Amino acid sequence: MVVLDKRWLHLYGDFIVKNANSVSQIESALRSLTYIIPGTRLHNPAGNTPSPANLRISGRFRDAEIASESLHSGIQLLSLYHDSLLTRAVARLPSSHSLASAKLSVPLSPSTPHNRYTGFWTQTLPLYKRVALTLQMIQYTELLWEMTAKRRGGEKTRWRVVVLLEAIKAICRFWLLRLTGSRPLVSPPLPEREVDPSILQGPEIMSDEPQPLPSQGSFANGWTMPRTGLTLPTLPLSHKSSDTTTYLLARVLTAEDIKPAPTLLHRITGTGQLAEILYILRPVVYALAMQHFSNPRTNNSGRSSWTPWLLGLSIEYSARQLAKRDFRESLAGGLRGMTGLEKEEMRRRAWALAWWAMRGAFYENFTKSWLNSMTRKLRGKPLLDMVGGVLEDYEFLWDNYHFSSATM
């Protein structure tokens, strides 16, 4: 039975690798499907949050939200598995070996700094990969766990699950911080899919045995140098100089492309470590504050109090300011001495601050009323009514679930 299971898994992996482009398109289509299933988010034309009684008696939509989120979480987890299959397949290609031994049969474009950095740690430290995979799986399924907890045990159970999941994620992040030698966290912690489907052609890609190098005569679209055996790709067959320039620029190596992967992020000490600790603890502190101020008896979700919102926002903003201060003091050139990956992560965290408009008391007192007025204006208008319906669907999530606006 075990042999049969392995055989089916091998056949499935072989199919995914040979059809990487189509699989990616299907995954995207299925993700979109979770937002157009009728009643997916308990569509509420009135724009108001349904009462618990109405939710219980709604026969058509009773479990629609859980079913939709289950589909979405399942697709995300399946994509994570597909990423591992494609990564292993690319690692077996001759071009993934060193220049001297593999003779580069397939020219690959430089990987992104994020993928180089996270790929280095996943290949060097198996424990990093396991912890990062655990963190990623929790992030993909956290909203589903929250929905299930609310359905099974009510608000009190929901907040217990929320705090527990935030605590587990914080432990994982502290672990990653230690494993990487006190370097800032990046999101996501695993390499993103970055595979050209054209290089994954051929029946032998999934084989565990090393593949023989292609012969010189097998390159119809390139020139094999006789002494080294390296293959030079042909330039684009176009009379436009811009096409050739773009092609060449895409293969130019910058200073960061030749840096060792761990040096793409600087080690942090003192103020920088304090900033990262505050950043990691912020979701836990905010969830605990929301749990403290929520009252299931009065149907108070904690949004009526400004304390959790101000506490969470101040911690995240303080972490950002401390991190910038550390960069100014510890790097030559200050903020201009940051690497590309550090700048990218700082920009991502800056954009994440905007999500505080969708949380807590600010959402309850300002954003929610603005969204309600917008959906009322869009209702009944061709095409724009569909946009209003999508906003109403999301509004139901923002009204009822903590993880619907989570950024970590």
CSV table of all heavy atoms in Angstrom, one decimal, residues 99-104 213 216 223-232:
chain,number,residue,atom,x,y,z
A,99,LEU,N,29.1,26.0,-12.4
A,99,LEU,CA,29.5,26.3,-13.8
A,99,LEU,C,30.4,25.2,-14.3
A,99,LEU,O,30.4,24.8,-15.4
A,99,LEU,CB,30.1,27.7,-13.9
A,99,LEU,CG,29.1,28.9,-13.8
A,99,LEU,CD1,29.9,30.2,-13.8
A,99,LEU,CD2,28.1,28.9,-14.8
A,100,ALA,N,31.3,24.8,-13.4
A,100,ALA,CA,32.4,23.9,-13.9
A,100,ALA,C,31.8,22.5,-14.2
A,100,ALA,O,32.3,21.8,-15.1
A,100,ALA,CB,33.5,23.8,-12.8
A,101,SER,N,30.9,22.1,-13.3
A,101,SER,CA,30.5,20.7,-13.5
A,101,SER,C,29.2,20.5,-14.4
A,101,SER,O,29.1,19.5,-15.0
A,101,SER,CB,30.1,20.1,-12.1
A,101,SER,OG,29.1,20.9,-11.5
A,102,ALA,N,28.4,21.6,-14.4
A,102,ALA,CA,27.1,21.4,-15.1
A,102,ALA,C,27.2,22.0,-16.5
A,102,ALA,O,26.4,21.7,-17.3
A,102,ALA,CB,26.0,22.1,-14.3
A,103,LYS,N,28.1,23.0,-16.7
A,103,LYS,CA,28.3,23.6,-18.0
A,103,LYS,C,27.0,24.3,-18.5
A,103,LYS,O,26.8,24.5,-19.7
A,103,LYS,CB,28.7,22.6,-19.1
A,103,LYS,CG,30.0,21.8,-18.6
A,103,LYS,CD,30.5,21.0,-19.7
A,103,LYS,CE,31.7,20.1,-19.3
A,103,LYS,NZ,32.8,20.9,-18.7
A,104,LEU,N,26.1,24.7,-17.6
A,104,LEU,CA,25.0,25.6,-17.8
A,104,LEU,C,24.3,25.3,-19.1
A,104,LEU,O,24.4,26.0,-20.1
A,104,LEU,CB,25.5,27.0,-17.8
A,104,LEU,CG,25.5,27.7,-16.4
A,104,LEU,CD1,25.9,29.1,-16.5
A,104,LEU,CD2,24.2,27.6,-15.8
A,213,LEU,N,24.3,15.6,-19.0
A,213,LEU,CA,24.4,16.9,-19.7
A,213,LEU,C,24.0,16.8,-21.2
A,213,LEU,O,24.4,15.8,-21.8
A,213,LEU,CB,25.8,17.5,-19.5
A,213,LEU,CG,26.2,17.8,-18.1
A,213,LEU,CD1,27.6,18.3,-18.1
A,213,LEU,CD2,25.2,18.9,-17.5
A,216,GLN,N,26.5,18.8,-27.4
A,216,GLN,CA,26.7,20.0,-28.1
A,216,GLN,C,25.7,20.2,-29.2
A,216,GLN,O,25.2,21.3,-29.5
A,216,GLN,CB,28.1,20.2,-28.6
A,216,GLN,CG,28.4,21.5,-29.4
A,216,GLN,CD,29.8,21.6,-29.8
A,216,GLN,OE1,30.7,20.8,-29.3
A,216,GLN,NE2,30.1,22.5,-30.7
A,223,TRP,N,24.7,28.7,-29.0
A,223,TRP,CA,26.0,28.3,-29.4
A,223,TRP,C,26.8,27.7,-28.3
A,223,TRP,O,27.0,28.4,-27.2
A,223,TRP,CB,26.7,29.5,-30.1
A,223,TRP,CG,28.1,29.2,-30.6
A,223,TRP,CD1,28.4,28.4,-31.7
A,223,TRP,CD2,29.3,29.5,-30.0
A,223,TRP,NE1,29.7,28.3,-31.8
A,223,TRP,CE2,30.4,29.0,-30.8
A,223,TRP,CE3,29.7,30.3,-28.9
A,223,TRP,CZ2,31.7,29.2,-30.6
A,223,TRP,CZ3,31.0,30.4,-28.6
A,223,TRP,CH2,32.0,29.9,-29.4
A,224,THR,N,27.3,26.5,-28.5
A,224,THR,CA,28.1,25.9,-27.4
A,224,THR,C,29.6,26.2,-27.7
A,224,THR,O,30.2,25.8,-28.7
A,224,THR,CB,27.9,24.4,-27.4
A,224,THR,OG1,26.5,24.1,-27.2
A,224,THR,CG2,28.7,23.7,-26.3
A,225,MET,N,30.2,26.8,-26.7
A,225,MET,CA,31.7,27.1,-26.8
A,225,MET,C,32.5,25.8,-26.7
A,225,MET,O,32.3,25.0,-25.8
A,225,MET,CB,32.1,28.0,-25.7
A,225,MET,CG,31.5,29.4,-25.8
A,225,MET,SD,31.9,30.6,-24.5
A,225,MET,CE,30.9,30.0,-23.2
A,226,PRO,N,33.4,25.6,-27.7
A,226,PRO,CA,34.1,24.3,-27.8
A,226,PRO,C,35.0,23.9,-26.6
A,226,PRO,O,35.1,22.8,-26.3
A,226,PRO,CB,34.9,24.4,-29.1
A,226,PRO,CG,35.0,25.9,-29.3
A,226,PRO,CD,33.8,26.5,-28.8
A,227,ARG,N,35.6,24.9,-26.0
A,227,ARG,CA,36.6,24.6,-25.0
A,227,ARG,C,35.9,24.4,-23.6
A,227,ARG,O,36.2,23.4,-23.0
A,227,ARG,CB,37.6,25.8,-24.8
A,227,ARG,CG,38.7,25.5,-23.8
A,227,ARG,CD,39.8,26.6,-23.8
A,227,ARG,NE,39.2,27.9,-23.5
A,227,ARG,CZ,39.1,28.3,-22.2
A,227,ARG,NH1,39.5,27.5,-21.2
A,227,ARG,NH2,38.6,29.5,-21.9
A,228,THR,N,35.0,25.3,-23.2
A,228,THR,CA,34.4,25.2,-21.9
A,228,THR,C,33.1,24.4,-21.9
A,228,THR,O,32.7,23.8,-20.9
A,228,THR,CB,34.1,26.6,-21.4
A,228,THR,OG1,33.1,27.2,-22.2
A,228,THR,CG2,35.3,27.4,-21.3
A,229,GLY,N,32.5,24.3,-23.1
A,229,GLY,CA,31.2,23.6,-23.2
A,229,GLY,C,30.0,24.4,-22.7
A,229,GLY,O,28.9,23.9,-22.7
A,230,LEU,N,30.2,25.7,-22.3
A,230,LEU,CA,29.1,26.5,-21.9
A,230,LEU,C,28.3,26.9,-23.2
A,230,LEU,O,28.8,27.1,-24.3
A,230,LEU,CB,29.6,27.8,-21.2
A,230,LEU,CG,30.4,27.6,-19.9
A,230,LEU,CD1,30.9,28.9,-19.4
A,230,LEU,CD2,29.6,26.8,-18.9
A,231,THR,N,27.0,27.1,-23.0
A,231,THR,CA,26.1,27.4,-24.1
A,231,THR,C,25.6,28.9,-23.9
A,231,THR,O,25.1,29.3,-22.9
A,231,THR,CB,24.9,26.5,-24.1
A,231,THR,OG1,25.3,25.2,-24.2
A,231,THR,CG2,23.9,26.9,-25.2
A,232,LEU,N,25.8,29.6,-25.0
A,232,LEU,CA,25.4,31.0,-25.0
A,232,LEU,C,24.0,31.1,-25.7
A,232,LEU,O,23.8,30.6,-26.8
A,232,LEU,CB,26.4,31.9,-25.8
A,232,LEU,CG,27.8,32.0,-25.2
A,232,LEU,CD1,28.6,32.9,-26.1
A,232,LEU,CD2,27.7,32.6,-23.8
